[in-house]
Amino acid sequence: MSDQQANGHRIDEGMQVTLHFTLKLEDGTVVDSTRDKQPATFQVGDGNLPPGFEHPIKGLAAGESGSYEISPEHAFGQHNPQNVQMIARDDFGDETPEMGMVMSFADVGGGELPGVIKEVGEKQVEVDFNHPLAGRTLTFEVEVIDVTPATTH
């Protein structure tokens, strides 16, 4: 270990972390990875990583790596049947919804909410607003590159 890595900083609140990660489904399918691009840099607690992903890597230092199983409750939540809704076909206007398509809808607060088209009927369209990874147990593999105290601007 080089002197530069041995700064003694470990992942915790108030730290800026640079790491490579790979996110896999139960069957080993890779859903996201930084391996083929720039490593991810974030501040612990800034909301870029769900807490369920931050928790297992706390205490790691630069040069360390690990593989963690993240349950749905700590990842993107359980699949909620109430998040599957029927929307009138007329509400789509000129757009033609197709099964499997991801479309953006306005939520009550005026923000954007992605939904996956599940079924297209003559009068109604079934839309699933659950996160695509809801209900999945994920494997979170990390390789920590750097841990430094976060600088506040």
Side-chain angles (χ1 to χ4, degrees), residues 13-68:
E13 296 296 327
M15 289 291 174
Q16 181 169 300
V17 182
T18 301
L19 51 71
H20 267 302
F21 73 87
T22 302
L23 203 54
K24 294 178 180 171
L25 296 178
E26 300 94 318
D27 64 3
T29 306
V30 173
V31 257
D32 196 7
S33 179
T34 57
R35 289 274 165 216
D36 49 2
K37 44 190 190 250
Q38 291 290 318
T41 298
F42 66 95
Q43 207 169 312
V44 175
D46 68 2
N48 275 323
L49 268 193
F53 291 90
E54 285 185 351
H55 188 70
I57 63 173
K58 280 197 174 164
L60 290 182
E64 294 182 337
S65 55
S67 179
Y68 310 93

Side-chain angles (χ1 to χ4, degrees), residues 112-124:
E112 282 202 2
L113 190 64
V116 179
I117 308 299
K118 284 295 190 207
E119 216 171 287
V120 180
E122 246 178 80
K123 299 234 178 281
Q124 291 201 307

Side-chain angles (χ1 to χ4, degrees), residues 72 87 99:
I87 296 177
M99 264 179 65

Side-chain angles (χ1 to χ4, degrees), residues 47-100:
N48 275 323
L49 268 193
F53 291 90
E54 285 185 351
H55 188 70
I57 63 173
K58 280 197 174 164
L60 290 182
E64 294 182 337
S65 55
S67 179
Y68 310 93
E69 195 171 274
I70 315 282
S71 67
E73 295 78 16
H74 293 107
F76 297 100
Q78 287 293 2
H79 188 272
N80 182 348
Q82 291 179 332
N83 290 341
V84 180
Q85 296 180 6
M86 298 304 273
I87 296 177
R89 183 69 201 250
D90 298 346
D91 290 355
F92 288 89
D94 298 338
E95 275 193 277
T96 309
E98 288 174 36
M99 264 179 65

